[in-house]
Amino acid sequence: MRTGIATVCLSGTLEEKLRAAAKAGFGGVEIFETDLVTSSLSPEDVRLLAEDLGLGLDLYQPFRDLDSVPEELYRANLRRAEAKFRLMGRLGIDTILVCSNVGTASIDDDALRTEQLHGLAELAADHGVKVAYEALAWGTYVNDYEHAWRLVADADHPSLGTCLDTFHILSRGWDTEPIEKIPGEKIFFVQVADAPKLSMDVLNWSRHYRVFPGEGQFDLPKFLGHVAHTGYNGPVSLEVFNDTFRQADVERTAVDAMRSLIWLEERTAQHVAAQRVAAEHDGDLAVPAAKPVMPLRTLPEVAPPSGMNFAEVTAEDTHPLERLLAQLGFASQGEHRTKPVSLWTLGDARIVLNRQRARGVAPGISALAFDVDDAVKAVARAAQLKAVPVARASQAGEEILQAVRAPDGTEVFLCQDTRWTREFGGGEGVAAHDGDRSPSSVGSGARGGRARIDHINLAQPWQHYDEAVLFYTSTLALTPQPSQDVSSPSGLVRSQVMQTPLADGGRAVRLALNLAPWVRADSVRGTVFDTFAEHIAIEVPDLIAHAQACRRRGLPFLPIPANYYEDLDARFELPPGKLAALREFDLLYDRDENGEFLHFYTATVGSVFFEVVQRIDGYDGFGAPNAPVRHAVQHAVQHAVQHAAQR
């Protein structure tokens, strides 16, 4: 599949955009008119630079308000168009995008539109240019791609075709199946963008909230599958208007964009293959015979992770963390034999404390590790999706751990087993015993009597939140859930859970990505998020008993206000004894139609804290109604600490 990107997707100058697109691996670019008009490069310079970078210049856009106009204005439009055709000759671009008219002075007459489009195509042919006509979702009279195609077909000119844009089609809810009725040779260009489903006028939705494929809620594989069946084999190009992308680092955004097209290509190949299998099963021989001309590559296929192998916290001084883990019931498995790293375990929950290269670093989550079937294949897939491998120094006899770096800088390890634990303490490993030395098999989970990591919550920089969602979706096959907004004293916190399908009665992996309301620094690990920290949640089989043991060990619980328990009693009418136990140990509670949820939080050390949870029956959430309480208490504690430090 030939990949492309519109320069409007990226920040920076035109030259910076071209270099970033080439570095990310794009085959071509669309030149957005404003980028050229504001550039100090001449059209000839742009053409030479693109040739040097190995980039095709695939489209010049946009040309607006050509059709449906009175004759005098139409003649002026042709003059304007001819100037653009000459410019395109200097650039070496042979296709121009013409949008349906959005003006109020336009005339609702399809015969007139057809005549004017044919006249434009005649002029374009004289200059060796093709015209791709596109129905804008907010077009005055033409806002439906099928309508635009009928006009193109009626105009009947070899230099006139149509452009299909996913946003203009899917934002209006148009059926995409009729795309297959359009001859592939008359589809001159395909533009793709994803978007969250929002209730707002389509123009503002388009101009500010488009995202790259896999970062929104449109069914893009289905759309592109229909395009593939037409025989279209031209560029599939990103056209994304997004305020955040146009402020972020140009090279990072280009890599994120390229990853999205690689993901989309694979998903489309899977969609087309599934359609063929279903058709063969139903006895429909027509679909298998209609093999798409568009070449669609796939990646090494990996199953979703089957569990959390470990979580890592990095700090210069790990003593406060060691004390906190001991109070939680974790047991030390000793130091690594060659590195300043220690391992702590509670059942199947493993926490690594890392002091390497940590001078001046406050405690924070630095790495996650997932259980996978084939670590080498999983890393190979991630690398093809533009993930950056993490180099890890290992000495003779040590396990080689595969890892890549997430967009926020977190190291993501992909592990097939826990043999790496043998490198700690006495070298016996901890796969067969927990902190209390009770024997059990690895992966049995808290509901089977052993603690495990239930979920991890990571704060994401605003510039790369959507990028993170796509990263975990594409590289690890995690499934994004609908995002939620949680109130905090500093504003709304947007939260999106990434998880695996249900396995053995529970989720194997839950990863919550949170966009904090205020950011003090740039988007690297170690960023301080105002009133917002990250946490590791541990699931245990009996939360109240565990809380009692933690209290005896002196664990500082996050203090929950009395008002919370009055509200809890009003909402759930809990038995007095149960409510008293919750109040005594600062425990929180939630219930839904599937089951119950108990949890508590520790104090925050650096930017990390711990949560301990118990899931009863089929409860599969995170206690979302309790999140505002937690944010409010943490906010109050943080400001009390800051105030004390200033005195």
Side-chain angles (χ1 to χ4, degrees):
M1 185 178 84
R2 177 174 167 79
T3 58
I5 186 170
T7 54
V8 74
C9 300
L10 304 170
S11 65
T13 65
L14 181 56
E15 180 177 356
E16 291 169 338
K17 296 179 184 202
L18 294 178
R19 292 188 183 281
K23 187 174 181 180
F26 282 95
V29 296
E30 306 172 37
I31 298 294
F32 201 73
E33 187 169 67
T34 304
D35 286 318
L36 180 66
V37 170
T38 59
S39 175
S40 61
L41 298 176
S42 70
E44 291 78 11
D45 290 337
V46 173
R47 181 175 185 167
L48 288 173
L49 176 60
E51 289 175 355
D52 289 344
L53 294 171
L55 280 175
L57 297 181
D58 296 331
L59 187 75
Y60 188 82
Q61 67 123 331
F63 193 90
R64 304 183 190 276
D65 298 337
L66 169 101
D67 62 289
S68 313
V69 296
E71 179 62 26
E72 183 178 352
L73 181 54
Y74 178 63
R75 289 197 300 270
N77 285 343
L78 288 183
R79 176 184 173 279
R80 181 164 55 96
E82 188 167 24
K84 298 305 177 184
F85 295 160
R86 290 194 295 268
L87 173 64
M88 290 166 62
R90 297 168 65 192
L91 287 164
I93 299 177
D94 68 358
T95 306
I96 188 170
L97 177 71
V98 175
C99 306
S100 62
N101 200 323
V102 300
T104 57
S106 56
I107 303 167
D108 187 13
D109 184 340
D110 274 1
L112 177 64
R113 276 187 278 272
T114 298
E115 178 186 342
Q116 292 182 344
L117 286 172
H118 187 277
L120 177 68
E122 283 280 290
L123 181 62
D126 292 341
H127 291 269
V129 170
K130 297 185 298 181
V131 174
Y133 183 61
E134 172 187 60
L136 294 180
W138 52 91
T140 304
Y141 297 115
V142 181
N143 55 35
D144 179 347
Y145 78 95
E146 291 187 85
H147 188 182
W149 162 238
R150 288 195 302 271
L151 296 172
V152 168
D154 290 345
D156 192 22
H157 195 288
S159 293
L160 179 66
T162 191
C163 172
L164 299 176
D165 183 307
T166 60
F167 185 86
H168 295 301
I169 295 171
L170 299 178
S171 66
R172 294 295 298 263
W174 303 130
D175 181 10
T176 56
E177 190 168 346
I179 287 173
E180 298 194 25
K181 298 177 182 178
I182 305 175
E185 65 272 14
K186 295 300 287 183
I187 301 174
F188 282 3
F189 211 76
V190 171
Q191 296 174 319
V192 294
D194 209 338
K197 292 185 178 179
L198 302 173
S199 297
M200 63 187 308
D201 72 275
V202 70
L203 178 58
N204 279 318
W205 187 11
S206 171
R207 285 290 175 259
H208 302 285
Y209 298 102
R210 297 195 199 191
V211 289
F212 295 131
E215 298 176 355
Q217 294 171 277
F218 287 164
D219 190 349
L220 299 183
K222 179 183 177 183
F223 166 89
L224 196 55
H226 290 313
V227 172
H229 278 124
T230 68
Y232 176 79
N233 198 20
V236 176
S237 185
L238 296 164
E239 189 193 40
V240 173
F241 297 87
N242 183 289
D243 298 341
T244 298
F245 295 169
R246 284 181 281 187
Q247 297 177 62
D249 177 80
V250 62
E251 291 190 0
R252 283 193 61 160
T253 304
V255 168
D256 182 33
M258 190 65 206
R259 178 183 296 126
S260 76
L261 282 187
I262 296 170
W263 171 89
L264 176 58
E265 184 175 9
E266 179 188 44
R267 287 295 180 92
T268 303
Q270 293 169 347
H271 173 78
V272 170
Q275 277 189 313
R276 187 172 297 120
V277 169
E280 291 171 348
H281 180 268
D282 294 338
D284 183 354
L285 300 181
V287 174
K291 292 185 177 180
V293 174
M294 182 189 294
L296 296 169
R297 297 173 300 167
T298 57
L299 302 172
E301 188 174 352
V302 297
S306 58
M308 297 295 305
N309 195 284
F310 69 86
E312 178 185 278
V313 180
T314 293
E316 179 179 21
D317 181 9
T318 60
H319 289 97
L321 289 167
E322 293 168 4
R323 180 167 59 252
L324 187 63
L325 288 173
Q327 291 167 336
L328 280 169
F330 280 78
S332 172
Q333 304 301 330
E335 289 278 310
H336 191 275
R337 61 188 184 214
T338 63
K339 304 178 181 72
V341 177
S342 62
L343 172 63
W344 291 72
T345 65
L346 175 65
D348 294 325
R350 289 172 284 274
I351 306 296
V352 172
L353 301 183
N354 190 346
R355 304 188 303 280
Q356 297 181 99
R357 298 178 296 278
R359 182 180 295 276
V361 175
I365 298 173
S366 54
L368 315 176
F370 298 92
D371 292 317
V372 297
D373 294 336
D374 188 327
V376 173
K377 183 185 288 187
V379 168
R381 174 185 173 84
Q384 290 186 47
L385 285 157
K386 303 294 182 179
V388 179
V390 173
R392 179 178 179 271
S394 299
Q395 298 190 16
E398 295 180 359
E399 291 295 318
I400 304 298
L401 298 183
Q402 307 285 340
V404 294
R405 198 175 303 280
D408 66 350
T410 302
E411 295 180 356
V412 176
F413 286 86
L414 303 161
C415 304
Q416 293 176 223
D417 50 51
T418 58
R419 287 183 294 182
W420 58 270
T421 63
R422 300 171 185 172
E423 299 167 14
F424 291 83
E428 296 298 321
V430 293
H433 56 78
D434 63 13
D436 296 323
R437 302 300 193 265
S438 57
S440 180
S441 61
V442 173
S444 57
R447 298 182 194 197
R450 290 169 61 81
R452 64 177 178 182
I453 295 177
D454 180 82
H455 65 272
I456 294 178
N457 184 308
L458 296 178
Q460 297 299 301
W462 65 270
Q463 303 96 319
H464 308 299
Y465 183 87
D466 294 313
E467 180 185 359
V469 172
L470 176 61
F471 172 84
Y472 288 107
T473 300
S474 60
T475 61
L476 288 173
L478 297 182
T479 302
Q481 304 304 299
S483 64
Q484 292 184 331
D485 289 335
V486 176
S487 63
S488 81
S490 297
L492 290 179
V493 176
R494 178 182 168 195
S495 181
Q496 186 150 26
V497 174
M498 315 289 296
Q499 62 189 27
T500 55
L502 285 167
D504 299 327
R507 303 284 178 184
V509 170
R510 295 179 176 91
L511 178 65
L513 304 178
N514 286 352
L515 178 62
W518 299 103
V519 182
R520 291 180 184 167
D522 203 357
S523 56
V524 294
R525 291 311 282 172
T527 293
V528 177
F529 292 86
D530 187 24
T531 73
F532 196 84
E534 304 173 313
H535 73 269
I536 301 167
I538 309 299
E539 185 184 8
V540 297
D542 186 338
L543 186 93
I544 292 179
H546 195 85
Q548 290 172 332
C550 290
R551 179 65 59 85
R552 289 195 297 270
R553 288 189 287 263
L555 178 71
F557 289 60
L558 191 70
I560 305 302
N563 291 340
Y564 168 78
Y565 295 103
E566 290 187 18
D567 178 69
L568 197 65
D569 186 35
R571 286 190 292 132
F572 293 115
E573 195 176 359
L574 296 174
K578 188 168 189 176
L579 185 64
L582 296 177
R583 191 192 302 267
E584 179 184 0
F585 294 104
D586 289 300
L587 309 184
L588 297 103
Y589 176 88
D590 191 31
R591 184 170 71 207
D592 62 16
E593 66 277 9
N594 299 312
E596 298 175 285
F597 187 63
L598 297 171
H599 58 138
F600 69 81
Y601 301 102
T602 71
T604 302
V605 179
S607 66
V608 65
F609 63 96
F610 291 86
E611 179 184 10
V612 182
V613 310
Q614 180 186 358
R615 298 180 180 276
I616 301 172
D617 297 328
Y619 188 96
D620 195 40
F622 296 83
N626 299 328
V629 178
R630 189 255 294 175
H631 283 295
V633 176
Q634 288 177 325
H635 178 88
V637 169
Q638 181 189 42
H639 278 259
V641 170
Q642 291 175 348
H643 182 71
Q646 292 169 359
R647 288 192 303 181

